[in-house]
Amino acid sequence: MPPSCRGCLSQYTHHHLVVFLLTFFSYVLLHASRKTFSNVKVSISAQWTPSFQNDSAVAFSPNETWENNRLFANENEATLFLGVLDSIFLFSYAVGLYLSGVIGDRVNLRYVLCVGLCGSAVVEFVFGTVTEWLHIYNVYVYCVLWVLNGLLQSAVWPSVVAVMGNWFGKAGRGFIFGLWSACASVGNILGAFLASSMLKYGYEYAFLVTSVVQFAGGVVVFFGLLTSPKEVGLDVESGTGLNPVETDTGSYRPLMSDEEDEEVHVYCRQQQDEQEPEEVQVEPPQAVSFLQAFCLPGVLPYSLAYACLKLVNYSFFFWLPFYLSNNYKWKEAEADRLSVWYDVGGIIGATVQGLISDLMGKRAPVLALSLALAMGALVGYSRSPNDQVINAVLLATTGFFIGGPSGMISSAISADLGRQEAVRGSQEALATVTGIVDGTGSIGAAAGQTGGSIMFISPLLLKELRSMWSERRALQRQL
């Protein structure tokens, strides 16, 4: 570790460690529960489709089955609806990020974070566990719950980044935030292992475990998180320096005799009569508007870049276990465990690239080089053979070059943008800027999911049209 980073770390207190760990694990738990849905898609698809068709009931609707509590007639329709749910989640998540960022700069971040964690846990419990226990299979119920889940989860990321930005200054931010941004990947790994462990009991128990743990984490955050150093009498300077809040020096005066105390008391009264000190009132920082934050230097370019990057990153996030299971015919639990190598690469990538950006004093060149190499890694992974070891190595390499820049933009660079010179003084913009960057990225990811769903359904529609055209021509010949 370079001397500059060692110097930064040496001045931090145990409060910084507690804040680092609480914000880190709060997002770990959120991503673990979010990843559960991706890891159990095969099981959900099987549950939503009938095990056999009711061929004897030709007089009724073609989709009528003996198991009338199922949602879809075949696996293709169920897979398409899973893609629709991903798009619904991301669009609502993006809208929520724009709103929650603005709210986070105006309301206590601890309240916003707790509502997001606990509220999302309740919704996921209802979505994955209650509906299965009560055999509620309804498309509209699933859609409404997933919209609500996206809005609630959007409150978490801007809040944790803002809290970290309050406690950690710019010097060494690339390394610290790079290490901290591994929370998403660690959550993905935790969610994959929990899902693969609980699948033998039913996918509803995977949702049950992750949602209960997430709700408990939200309670711990509510009672234990300090959102700013000022809450414990510390103040963060423009760099990383920490100074105690100034107090009255007279409070540390040693005890004196009665005679000396009387003399000092008379002297102080005379001085007070001669000149009454003026009280200086420090106004709390005022939050910038959404438009002001959007127009800050660097916000728009990084937001658009993150939209393209998150499209690729979330394609792996939502569909990697499903792809491994269907393309290579591996068991669902094996696919879940293998998919964690993408997140392992992302953890290493974010930490290493953040450290390099600190040493260089610039972040853009590191991002540009990593993204250029990511294109080659994606091409290499698309040609991966049916071998789990080779697949894991290629996944880790791809995660290094994609997950690394993703973690940097969403955390360290967002904190840089929210604490730049243009918003110094009496303005707060960190949560709003983070919401803008991540919200724009989520719109890109949602557009990718929607495009993927369209590409998936197009061959099915063409097949249906050809079938209808063939039947029509056969009927015309008979006539």
Side-chain angles (χ1 to χ4, degrees):
M1 187 181 298
S4 59
C5 288
R6 286 199 300 268
C8 293
L9 294 176
S10 63
Q11 66 182 330
Y12 294 139
T13 66
H14 70 280
H15 295 296
H16 293 82
L17 179 61
V18 172
V19 169
F20 185 98
L21 293 177
L22 281 178
T23 53
F24 183 91
F25 283 106
S26 63
Y27 205 70
V28 164
L29 298 178
L30 184 81
H31 243 263
S33 62
R34 188 186 300 177
K35 184 66 173 174
T36 300
F37 178 68
S38 303
N39 288 339
V40 299
K41 279 183 174 177
V42 174
S43 297
I44 293 179
S45 178
Q47 185 70 8
W48 286 351
T49 53
S51 56
F52 57 90
Q53 295 291 327
N54 181 9
D55 296 327
S56 61
V58 245
F60 297 97
S61 169
N63 294 332
E64 180 114 6
T65 65
W66 288 116
E67 303 171 80
N68 55 8
N69 62 332
R70 303 310 187 206
L71 272 175
F72 305 102
N74 54 61
E75 185 180 350
N76 288 335
E77 292 182 8
T79 303
L80 178 62
F81 182 66
L82 290 172
V84 170
L85 284 179
D86 289 337
S87 300
I88 287 174
F89 172 83
L90 285 172
F91 276 119
S92 59
Y93 184 70
V95 173
L97 282 168
Y98 289 131
L99 298 175
S100 61
V102 175
I103 295 172
D105 281 331
R106 291 162 172 80
V107 182
N108 191 308
L109 291 169
R110 186 160 51 92
Y111 299 153
V112 179
L113 181 55
C114 183
V115 168
L117 285 171
C118 295
S120 171
V122 172
V123 171
E124 288 174 348
F125 172 71
V126 175
F127 177 92
T129 306
V130 174
T131 55
E132 180 60 27
W133 283 350
L134 300 180
H135 302 291
I136 301 174
Y137 304 104
N138 187 284
V139 171
Y140 301 105
V141 171
Y142 287 131
C143 289
V144 170
L145 287 174
W146 230 224
V147 168
L148 185 59
N149 188 38
L151 293 174
L152 289 169
Q153 287 202 15
S154 67
V156 177
W157 184 250
S159 300
V160 292
V161 173
V163 171
M164 285 290 292
N166 290 340
W167 280 91
F168 295 90
K170 186 174 182 180
R173 180 179 285 162
F175 172 73
I176 294 173
F177 273 73
L179 183 63
W180 177 82
S181 66
C183 56
S185 297
V186 172
N188 294 341
I189 296 172
L190 177 63
F193 277 108
L194 287 176
S196 61
S197 301
M198 301 304 297
L199 271 175
K200 56 186 176 182
Y201 305 106
Y203 75 83
E204 64 271 22
Y205 291 97
F207 280 102
L208 172 64
V209 171
T210 53
S211 59
V212 168
V213 174
Q214 180 183 323
F215 189 91
V219 175
V220 172
V221 165
F222 181 80
F223 289 104
L225 181 65
L226 297 172
T227 60
S228 172
K230 295 179 180 179
E231 295 183 19
V232 289
L234 296 174
D235 191 18
V236 180
E237 293 183 346
S238 59
T240 57
L242 286 170
N243 292 327
V245 175
E246 293 183 2
T247 56
D248 183 11
T249 56
S251 61
Y252 299 100
R253 187 182 299 275
L255 294 176
M256 297 180 294
S257 63
D258 294 341
E259 184 177 348
E260 291 174 334
D261 184 62
E262 182 65 26
E263 292 177 359
V264 172
H265 182 68
V266 173
Y267 175 77
C268 291
R269 183 183 299 172
Q270 293 174 351
Q271 293 293 324
Q272 185 176 3
D273 293 338
E274 292 176 2
Q275 182 177 2
E276 187 71 24
E278 297 181 359
E279 294 183 0
V280 179
Q281 295 182 352
V282 180
E283 296 183 358
Q286 299 296 319
V288 301
S289 66
F290 179 87
L291 185 60
Q292 287 176 317
F294 193 83
C295 294
L296 289 173
V299 172
L300 180 59
Y302 276 111
S303 297
L304 295 177
Y306 193 52
C308 301
L309 181 56
K310 197 167 185 178
L311 186 154
V312 180
N313 196 31
Y314 263 58
S315 297
F316 279 90
F317 175 82
F318 280 124
W319 292 102
L320 181 56
F322 189 89
Y323 168 78
L324 294 174
S325 179
N326 282 268
N327 191 59
Y328 298 107
K329 307 305 177 184
W330 296 333
K331 295 180 180 179
E332 188 177 15
E334 292 178 349
D336 290 345
R337 286 191 288 268
L338 188 66
S339 66
V340 304
W341 287 104
Y342 179 81
D343 297 296
V344 170
I347 293 172
I348 300 173
T351 305
V352 172
Q353 293 175 35
L355 180 59
I356 294 174
S357 70
D358 281 341
L359 296 175
M360 294 180 60
K362 298 179 180 179
R363 310 206 194 279
V366 180
L367 293 176
L369 178 61
S370 180
L371 292 176
L373 295 174
M375 292 187 289
L378 285 169
V379 173
Y381 183 71
S382 67
R383 301 179 180 180
S384 173
N386 194 346
D387 183 277
Q388 293 191 8
V389 175
I390 297 177
N391 198 289
V393 172
L394 292 175
L395 268 180
T397 305
T398 306
F400 182 92
F401 292 118
I402 294 179
S406 178
M408 285 184 60
I409 293 178
S410 62
S411 59
I413 291 177
S414 294
D416 291 342
L417 295 174
R419 287 280 186 251
Q420 58 183 298
E421 292 291 337
V423 290
R424 289 283 175 85
S426 61
Q427 294 179 315
E428 284 288 347
L430 184 49
T432 305
V433 168
T434 304
I436 291 173
V437 173
D438 202 15
T440 307
S442 297
I443 289 178
Q449 291 298 310
T450 305
S453 299
I454 293 173
M455 292 178 65
F456 178 81
I457 197 176
S458 296
L460 299 179
L461 290 175
L462 288 175
K463 185 178 179 180
E464 290 292 332
L465 289 174
R466 287 171 184 166
S467 177
M468 292 173 59
W469 178 253
S470 300
E471 291 177 359
R472 182 180 179 183
R473 291 185 62 182
L475 185 61
Q476 289 176 346
R477 286 172 186 164
Q478 291 177 1
L479 296 175

